[in-house]
Amino acid sequence: MSLTSAIKAQRTYAFCWCLCLLISSLAVSAQPPSQADPGTRTNPPTAEADGLSSLFRVEKIALDLGAELITIHARRADQEQELQGPALDIPLISVLRDTLGDTNPHNDRLRYVWLHSYTRPSIKQRATAFVPFLYTAGANRKVGSGPPPAVIDLHESDRVVWNSIFWYLFKRMVVNGLSLTPKASVMQYRQNSVDHRRTAVADSLAALALFQEIEGEKLLSDSELKDIQARLSLTEKTFGWKMQSQNLERVFEEDLKMERDHRARNWELLRQYTEAQGLYFEPLVMGDGFARHAVVWTTESDVKDNQGKAFERRFLNIKNPWQDKRLLDWKGYKQVRWFNSEDREVAPETPGARAKTMIPLALYGLDHPKVPMILVDFRDARNPKYRELSRRILLDVTNNVLSLSQFHSIPYFFGRMVYDFVTGRRGMDLNQSSRFRLYSQLKFLLAIDESLDPEFSQVVSRHVKIASINPLGNDLYAERQIAIKQYGNLLAYARRPDGLPKKIRKDRREEMVRIKHSRLERAFFTAANVFSLGLYTHREKETPQLFAQLDLRRQLDHHERFVREVAAKSARPEIDTNMDRLRESLSFIANSGNAAEVKTARAVARIYSISQVDEIRMLCLAGLYRINNSSSKKELLSIYHSAQPKDKSRDVSAGYLKRAVAEGQRISSRDVTSINAIGKLPSD
């Protein structure tokens, strides 16, 4: 057989394989049930932060060289003695804030985020992760004395995209030339490693989302928390690393709105389909008042009364409980509850209350963008795992074995497109995006929510462990001990002169490159770092002068960001903006904004156009004069030409323009000609 014939045969096989998988998937789906009774409608809960602060303890530790290590702990009470204290708390996340050793918050910069349950894989875990088609949870590793790996560096860097480019080139030039087994092993390890980090990102987001709702002092401001969450969510975006700081709040708000929309839709969808089948729908509300998960229950009496009854499994994705003989003599977890004559749950002492023995059937995540996603099937522990494996096996076979992609094989492209479309439209959570965030939220719920029955939590935890498919992960039961150990390691690393303080000093010296060198020079330094595979990183020698300039540069970054945010969101600053902050930022730019960027000049010009406060408008003119680039002078010249002859801003802008020319600021030759002609105008 020729090479061309072999390739065609592979592509035809992949196309047929996708269609077969599609047909088998459709076999587990049924037609939708009749619409639920509108009178049973239940609205999702709203967020309430009452008592939420009791779930967390925040700790701030001052470090040498002027930095702070802020750690969020989850409070845990001793269930036997009902005690609470630091010894029982679980360290969740630590954030490094570089303050430059002063109390000015405008020059602070967030750098590293550590998730204390996130570990470097052990040798055994790494070896297991290389085995193709081995989808099982990894063995817990013994944490050494080194610091935990950072989940993310919040400082903008183009190293992420260069790493992706190098991996692509390595895959095309080296990996694809290997034989089947080595290639499949390398690709398997790569996917497991990526998924391991995605899980850490999802765990961090789950913890921060709940911590965000705390009322009162948090040591991390709301804007800082939003920035961290936005940066974490952008790690999955192709060009997320390049997102500018003034857009981070918008990214956070859009993600939050989308998440709540998905949750509300899935809430109502799952509730209607559950009640239509005679089952019980129970949302699991976390400490912030939001229900991100829901449990579907039945009762022993319903199981006996509905034997042989038809069951529509669409969106529920579980087997027919009315034909399951195991439920008639269920040996698993049960719970007794009381209901009134209207079949609503009430307190046991309520007159006329009837006891029912509840049997859990499944637990679902409500934040998935398409359908309620099953996370735990209490009768078939491997059901959720097989649904996740449908995606991994499809990717591993096509990418690692057949070396196919949607851009290189037309039959596979159409087969995959049809499969994804039909499974998505029919509400099946087969071949959907991985359940990283949903399982992270569930694990976080089990770790800190003490309102859940401990026995029920243990049952769910066992199912979560079975559903894990990544050998690089750790067991849920061991994560608390791992987090405590790694937090101690981080504190020891922060106290060593050659540890975190040395790293902070290097980061500052690298940050000073922006101050001393032009963009072209910095591009050469970046190229040197890339082609040396990271062995060479240019850093400036720290001097008192450079340190002072770094302080000024950070403050300017802070004020530039606020001005751009106001320009993007405000309709009238004096109505919808904090005017004190706006005055402060514009005054700083007017005094020290020489190095401000072009986008800042445009933002200042827009604020001038939408504000009707003379003080703000004059500060905008002063800022445009101070910003030393041609764009700012173009905006200033435009203001001069659009102003009325007797308008004060006309004379002020003319004076600034003439002064800028005399000082030799950056101005285009065309604008210089226009500015020189200002003195000859009759109005002057």
Side-chain angles (χ1 to χ4, degrees):
M1 181 182 294
S2 65
L3 178 61
T4 304
S5 301
I7 295 175
K8 289 183 178 179
Q10 278 190 343
R11 292 177 176 177
T12 304
Y13 171 77
F15 178 71
C16 296
W17 183 80
C18 291
L19 290 181
C20 292
L21 185 58
L22 171 63
I23 294 173
S24 64
S25 301
L26 293 177
V28 302
S29 179
Q31 297 297 322
S34 58
Q35 186 175 359
D37 182 5
T40 62
R41 180 180 179 85
T42 304
N43 294 323
T46 58
E48 296 179 358
D50 296 340
L52 186 60
S53 58
S54 62
L55 296 177
F56 297 99
R57 177 176 64 87
V58 188
E59 181 181 37
K60 180 172 70 174
I61 299 176
L63 306 179
D64 294 338
L65 295 178
E68 298 170 346
L69 188 65
I70 301 172
T71 304
I72 303 171
H73 299 261
R75 293 187 181 275
R76 293 286 292 176
D78 190 309
Q79 295 180 354
E80 296 181 358
Q81 302 179 8
E82 296 185 356
L83 299 177
Q84 200 172 55
L88 298 172
D89 294 345
I90 305 174
L92 300 176
I93 293 175
S94 290
V95 180
L96 178 67
R97 178 197 282 154
D98 185 2
T99 65
L100 295 182
D102 58 29
T103 58
N104 183 4
H106 297 164
N107 63 7
D108 293 352
R109 174 155 294 181
L110 299 178
R111 286 305 303 250
Y112 301 101
V113 177
W114 291 275
L115 178 73
H116 294 294
S117 59
Y118 178 52
T119 63
R120 290 184 176 86
S122 63
I123 296 178
K124 181 178 180 181
Q125 285 177 310
R126 292 178 188 272
T128 307
F130 272 102
V131 180
F133 303 104
L134 178 63
Y135 309 110
T136 183
N140 297 318
R141 62 156 298 173
K142 294 182 179 180
V143 180
S145 58
V151 175
I152 187 174
D153 181 359
L154 298 172
H155 180 60
E156 296 179 13
S157 174
D158 55 0
R159 293 177 183 174
V160 176
V161 69
W162 281 111
N163 289 338
S164 301
I165 292 174
F166 271 119
W167 164 249
Y168 176 79
L169 295 176
F170 178 75
K171 175 183 174 183
R172 296 284 296 178
M173 299 172 61
V174 179
V175 177
N176 288 347
L178 300 175
S179 59
L180 179 61
T181 301
K183 180 176 67 174
S185 297
V186 172
M187 296 296 293
Q188 181 83 3
Y189 181 83
R190 167 71 178 181
Q191 188 60 52
N192 285 331
S193 179
V194 170
D195 289 348
H196 182 48
R197 184 171 182 272
R198 285 177 180 171
T199 302
V201 171
D203 289 349
S204 304
L205 283 169
L208 290 169
L210 188 59
F211 182 73
Q212 177 79 24
E213 303 296 330
I214 290 180
E215 299 287 348
E217 179 66 27
K218 291 181 280 195
L219 298 183
L220 285 167
S221 66
D222 286 337
S223 61
E224 289 177 327
L225 287 169
K226 291 178 181 179
D227 286 357
I228 296 173
Q229 294 178 76
R231 285 292 181 197
L232 287 168
S233 66
L234 287 170
T235 57
E236 298 299 314
K237 305 294 193 300
T238 304
F239 296 102
W241 59 277
K242 200 63 177 176
M243 183 66 66
Q244 296 184 342
S245 58
Q246 68 268 16
N247 296 322
L248 293 179
E249 184 174 357
R250 177 177 57 82
V251 171
F252 171 81
E253 297 295 343
E254 289 179 355
D255 287 347
L256 183 63
K257 179 180 181 300
M258 188 179 302
E259 178 184 302
R260 291 177 177 176
D261 289 343
H262 294 157
R263 188 183 306 148
R265 185 197 65 232
N266 288 333
W267 166 294
E268 191 62 22
L269 192 66
L270 184 62
R271 185 193 64 82
Q272 288 187 14
Y273 276 75
T274 297
E275 294 179 356
Q277 301 308 312
L279 305 175
Y280 294 81
F281 171 82
E282 180 194 16
L284 297 180
V285 182
M286 297 187 71
D288 59 353
F290 289 115
R292 296 174 174 84
H293 305 87
V295 182
V296 173
W297 303 78
T298 187
T299 66
E300 288 185 343
S301 58
D302 289 343
V303 170
K304 296 177 181 178
D305 296 340
N306 294 327
Q307 284 297 304
K309 181 181 175 181
F311 180 78
E312 300 288 353
R313 59 179 295 172
R314 188 179 184 188
F315 295 116
L316 298 178
N317 296 314
I318 56 176
K319 295 180 181 179
N320 187 348
W322 317 134
Q323 295 180 358
D324 192 343
K325 302 299 183 182
R326 293 175 300 170
L327 292 177
L328 293 173
D329 187 24
W330 180 246
K331 302 298 184 181
Y333 176 80
K334 299 178 183 179
Q335 196 175 100
V336 178
R337 298 184 181 179
W338 283 261
F339 295 81
N340 60 16
S341 58
E342 298 178 353
D343 212 24
R344 297 184 180 276
E345 187 175 353
V346 295
E349 61 273 9
T350 303
R354 296 175 291 108
K356 292 186 177 182
T357 302
M358 310 291 294
I359 300 175
L361 296 179
L363 188 149
Y364 298 83
L366 301 179
D367 281 359
H368 191 261
K370 292 189 177 182
V371 295
M373 182 169 281
I374 186 169
L375 302 178
V376 174
D377 187 338
F378 292 93
R379 293 177 294 157
D380 185 1
R382 301 190 180 276
N383 178 24
K385 182 172 184 175
Y386 291 156
R387 293 179 176 275
E388 176 66 18
L389 285 179
S390 67
R391 174 178 178 271
R392 277 298 302 271
I393 292 175
L394 175 63
L395 294 177
D396 290 347
V397 169
T398 55
N399 294 348
N400 303 350
V401 178
L402 301 179
S403 298
L404 297 176
S405 73
Q406 298 186 46
F407 303 103
H408 293 84
S409 173
I410 294 179
Y412 173 67
F413 173 79
F414 284 107
R416 177 71 181 274
M417 183 177 65
V418 171
Y419 178 76
D420 290 344
F421 174 78
V422 174
T423 54
R425 293 287 291 180
R426 294 188 63 83
M428 295 180 290
D429 62 346
L430 292 168
N431 196 36
Q432 303 295 348
S433 58
S434 297
R435 297 159 163 82
F436 298 122
R437 185 164 187 174
L438 298 177
Y439 272 118
S440 297
Q441 292 172 346
L442 179 57
K443 290 190 296 183
F444 194 70
L445 174 68
L446 297 174
I448 71 170
D449 193 341
E450 298 174 1
S451 64
L452 293 176
D453 181 15
E455 183 181 354
F456 180 72
S457 296
Q458 292 178 2
V459 172
V460 175
S461 298
R462 287 196 297 269
H463 282 268
V464 171
K465 179 181 179 180
I466 294 174
S468 176
I469 65 173
N470 196 335
L472 300 180
N474 293 305
D475 186 78
L476 179 61
Y477 294 108
E479 284 190 353
R480 180 174 182 268
Q481 288 72 26
I482 290 174
I484 294 173
K485 173 63 174 175
Q486 292 212 124
Y487 176 58
N489 292 347
L490 180 60
L491 292 181
Y493 178 67
R495 296 188 184 104
R496 295 203 318 260
D498 62 338
L500 191 54
K502 182 178 179 181
K503 187 176 185 63
I504 295 171
R505 187 182 292 109
K506 285 184 176 181
D507 291 338
R508 289 177 183 172
R509 291 173 52 204
E510 187 176 349
E511 194 177 345
M512 291 174 182
V513 175
R514 177 189 176 193
I515 300 172
K516 197 170 181 179
H517 296 278
S518 65
R519 288 191 175 183
L520 181 60
E521 292 172 331
R522 298 200 300 270
F524 281 112
F525 294 145
T526 301
N529 176 266
V530 169
F531 289 109
S532 67
L533 300 179
L535 296 178
Y536 172 78
T537 300
H538 185 77
R539 298 182 178 94
E540 297 299 322
K541 183 178 180 181
E542 184 176 336
T543 64
Q545 293 78 12
L546 272 180
F547 190 86
Q549 293 179 40
L550 176 62
D551 183 1
L552 187 65
R553 179 68 254 185
R554 285 192 182 182
Q555 293 185 61
L556 181 57
D557 288 340
H558 169 83
H559 294 294
E560 281 189 277
R561 171 178 176 174
F562 182 72
V563 167
R564 292 184 195 179
E565 289 176 348
V566 172
K569 298 189 299 183
S570 175
R572 285 278 298 277
E574 51 269 26
I575 296 176
D576 55 18
T577 302
N578 185 329
M579 292 297 288
D580 291 334
R581 285 194 62 188
L582 182 58
R583 287 190 190 93
E584 182 184 12
S585 294
L586 290 175
S587 297
F588 188 90
I589 293 174
N591 294 322
S592 307
N594 307 63
E597 299 180 355
V598 171
K599 291 184 178 180
T600 303
R602 295 170 182 166
V604 172
R606 168 163 171 75
I607 293 175
Y608 171 88
S609 66
I610 62 178
S611 177
Q612 296 182 3
V613 178
D614 288 341
E615 180 187 5
I616 297 298
R617 291 163 68 89
M618 292 301 105
L619 285 173
C620 289
L621 295 178
L624 291 173
Y625 156 71
R626 181 61 60 188
I627 299 174
N628 189 10
N629 59 53
S630 58
S631 178
S632 65
K633 302 309 175 288
K634 185 180 293 295
E635 296 289 351
L636 198 56
L637 187 61
S638 176
I639 292 173
Y640 169 80
H641 287 306
S642 62
Q644 297 298 323
K646 296 183 180 181
D647 193 343
K648 178 182 177 181
S649 61
R650 181 180 174 87
D651 296 333
V652 174
S653 58
Y656 281 142
L657 288 168
K658 292 178 180 178
R659 192 186 307 175
V661 172
E663 294 173 353
Q665 292 192 25
R666 296 189 186 96
I667 310 174
S668 66
S669 57
R670 182 176 179 180
D671 290 340
V672 170
T673 303
S674 300
I675 294 171
N676 290 333
I678 288 178
K680 302 177 182 180
L681 292 176
S683 60
D684 293 337

